[in-house]
Amino acid sequence: MNLLELAWQARCSSMGEKLVLLACAYHASNGSQVRIDPQVWAGRLGMSIGRVEAAISALHRAGLLDARRWE
């Protein structure tokens, strides 16, 4: 099963989390990695930067993402 299918099946607490998870799955590399710039993604997803960051944090706490800060 590919990442996009897994993202669709995942239980999320909010539609914002689901949208961020789907976007991550869609843009992930073959190594299942994706770089998220909340400032850029906020405009693409129609969400505030804070909501994108909150969704990433919530998905990380739920074990659906392994979020790490990039230098």
Side-chain angles (χ1 to χ4, degrees):
M1 195 173 302
N2 69 38
L3 289 178
L4 203 49
E5 290 173 17
L6 290 171
W8 275 113
Q9 292 179 4
R11 290 191 169 270
C12 295
S13 298
S14 70
M15 290 304 292
E17 289 176 24
K18 179 65 90 173
L19 185 58
V20 169
L21 184 61
L22 287 167
C24 287
Y26 181 78
H27 291 286
S29 68
N30 288 339
S32 300
Q33 295 180 338
V34 62
R35 184 169 186 173
I36 302 168
D37 181 345
Q39 189 170 3
V40 172
W41 281 44
R44 292 180 184 168
L45 299 175
M47 299 168 64
S48 69
I49 295 169
R51 289 196 67 140
V52 172
E53 290 174 339
I56 293 167
S57 294
L59 291 166
H60 178 79
R61 285 190 306 275
L64 296 171
L65 290 180
D66 180 15
R68 300 176 191 184
R69 294 261 180 214
W70 292 64
E71 295 295 329

